Amino acid sequence: MEDLNLFLKIMSCLDDYMLLKGKKEINDMEANVELERVGLLEDSASVPGKPLRLLLRKLRDTNLLPQNIIEHCGSWSIKLSKTIAQKPTVEQFQYC
């Protein structure tokens, strides 16, 4: 639960950062640099972006990762969450 609360703060911070910079997508290293700047998550000097990747893996393994964060071949991509359209839910038997 503590990770989820921290993650909500992180997503809000990254959304604000992307809106300010005019970006729609950033990678994990750029995100971790910004999070360290605002004091939410310290970055690793030897392996940039590692603390954020560890948090994202933990959320992925517990099925709590939002749809705007994608891992492809070990590289994480974070999209602006305010531009992601929510899928409507359709009840299968609503007309029975």
Side-chain angles (χ1 to χ4, degrees):
M1 190 66 176
E2 178 181 315
D3 288 336
L4 189 57
N5 290 333
L6 174 63
F7 185 71
L8 293 174
K9 290 178 187 176
I10 286 173
M11 285 311 303
S12 177
C13 174
L14 292 178
D15 280 345
D16 293 343
Y17 170 75
M18 285 187 267
L19 287 172
L20 181 68
K21 296 293 183 178
K23 296 184 176 187
K24 293 182 181 178
E25 186 174 343
I26 58 175
N27 63 18
D28 51 353
M29 289 184 284
E30 183 179 359
N32 214 145
V33 168
E34 175 61 17
L35 294 172
E36 182 178 39
R37 187 186 70 78
V38 297
L40 281 175
L41 191 64
E42 288 187 32
D43 200 2
S44 171
S46 60
V47 186
K50 184 176 181 179
L52 181 59
R53 285 192 295 273
L54 292 174
L55 177 62
L56 294 176
R57 283 186 197 127
K58 188 184 292 187
L59 292 172
R60 178 198 61 198
D61 293 345
T62 58
N63 288 331
L64 295 174
L65 197 64
Q67 64 184 6
N68 66 312
I69 300 176
I70 302 167
E71 179 188 23
H72 181 69
C73 297
S75 178
W76 291 90
S77 174
I78 303 167
K79 294 183 180 180
L80 183 62
S81 67
K82 295 177 180 170
T83 61
I84 301 295
Q86 299 296 320
K87 296 178 186 176
T89 56
V90 178
E91 293 185 30
Q92 183 178 3
F93 302 108
Q94 64 184 353
Y95 298 112
C96 293

